[in-house]
Amino acid sequence: LPLANAVTASRVSSSELRRLVSSPKPPSRSVTRKRIMSCASKGKQEWAKVELPKGAERPKLVVFDLDNTMWTPELYQLQTLPVPGRDINLFKGARAALFELATDPAWRDTKVAAASRTEDVLWAEDLLKRFDAADGVTMDKLFHVKEIYPGSKRRHFERLKKKTGIGFNEMIFFDDSTWNTDEIEQMGVLCVFNPRGLTTDLWNLGLQEYAAMKKNKESFMGKTIGVNKRRRRYYY
């Protein structure tokens, strides 16, 4: 992805985001759980995997927000326990990332975590057990650590560091809110802003940026990046 001019903005309006960021629509609500499992199992054919340079460093901890990052709609918008494939769906880019993490040996030394401020904790935990990352691998099984409770994302990340022993400069975080990314980048974590769900462009961008910063031996990784409507790198 070619570099665009750096842009500084601590907050981005929703109207500006619509102009700057494009994302594929989430899967149809008519998709069944069987279809979700099928999509995961065929991920290598359906989505292009990022090709990092040989020897490029990968994050030791990949952290995902849940609402509007991994799935849609957000849990607060629902009235009853959601059924995967009927009431709630994973974004295409999220399915691709999960499948890669679950099946590619290159990720064997990387841990995966969830960091969510949702108040619907039990619903989120239930969905992690029902959505599949790959055949026989649920999101719950793939995620080594799950910090799911209301409050500050800073608390989530402090506990992630304590539980995993992984430093902030070896993490990458995907989230749909600049409120969260502003807070976490100050801790030294590379953040990727996905205002309309995780896309393959943003997944690839995050991994490429992480590898480039490590190659340049940058010790402080704290910043937030995304892509504009021309699929070019964009700094917040």
Side-chain angles (χ1 to χ4, degrees), residues 35-36 46 51 70-71 100 136 166 177 184-185 191 193 215 220 226-227 236:
R35 171 60 178 157
I36 293 171
E46 293 196 10
E51 294 296 337
M70 302 305 284
W71 56 52
E100 182 179 335
I166 297 172
S177 168
I184 300 309
E185 72 171 41
C191 301
F193 178 46
K215 183 178 180 180
F220 185 80
V227 293
Y236 295 92

Side-chain angles (χ1 to χ4, degrees), residues 164-177:
T164 65
I166 297 172
F168 295 133
N169 65 341
E170 295 178 311
M171 301 180 185
I172 189 169
F173 177 45
F174 296 86
D175 197 286
D176 68 309
S177 168

Side-chain angles (χ1 to χ4, degrees), residues 42-80:
K42 296 188 295 184
K44 288 186 178 179
Q45 287 74 40
E46 293 196 10
W47 303 298
K49 183 175 67 176
V50 61
E51 294 296 337
L52 295 174
K54 186 176 181 180
E57 287 195 48
R58 296 170 185 263
K60 292 185 178 179
L61 181 64
V62 177
V63 187
F64 296 111
D65 174 47
L66 297 177
D67 280 344
N68 202 42
T69 292
M70 302 305 284
W71 56 52
T72 187
E74 298 188 50
L75 295 184
Y76 81 89
Q77 297 174 292
L78 302 171
Q79 300 300 315
T80 59

Side-chain angles (χ1 to χ4, degrees), residues 137-165:
V137 183
T138 63
M139 290 178 69
D140 183 70
K141 185 176 180 180
L142 178 66
F143 285 30
H144 297 79
V145 187
K146 295 171 280 288
E147 296 295 318
I148 306 174
Y149 43 83
S152 170
K153 282 285 175 78
R154 177 177 287 273
R155 181 186 176 197
H156 290 161
F157 273 79
E158 288 172 345
R159 294 186 68 172
L160 287 173
K161 181 180 179 181
K162 182 177 181 179
K163 289 180 178 180
T164 65

Side-chain angles (χ1 to χ4, degrees), residues 1-15:
L1 294 171
L3 285 171
N5 291 332
V7 177
T8 301
S10 60
R11 293 290 184 273
V12 183
S13 68
S14 58
S15 59

Side-chain angles (χ1 to χ4, degrees), residues 179-190:
W179 179 273
N180 293 330
T181 58
D182 284 353
E183 183 176 45
I184 300 309
E185 72 171 41
Q186 294 174 20
M187 302 176 76
V189 178
L190 174 62

Side-chain angles (χ1 to χ4, degrees), residues 174-216:
F174 296 86
D175 197 286
D176 68 309
S177 168
T178 54
W179 179 273
N180 293 330
T181 58
D182 284 353
E183 183 176 45
I184 300 309
E185 72 171 41
Q186 294 174 20
M187 302 176 76
V189 178
L190 174 62
C191 301
V192 183
F193 178 46
N194 44 250
R196 297 169 65 185
L198 183 59
T199 66
T200 52
D201 279 347
L202 289 166
W203 170 245
N204 292 343
L205 173 69
L207 301 184
Q208 291 166 345
E209 185 73 15
Y210 182 93
M213 293 178 73
K214 285 297 183 182
K215 183 178 180 180
N216 292 334

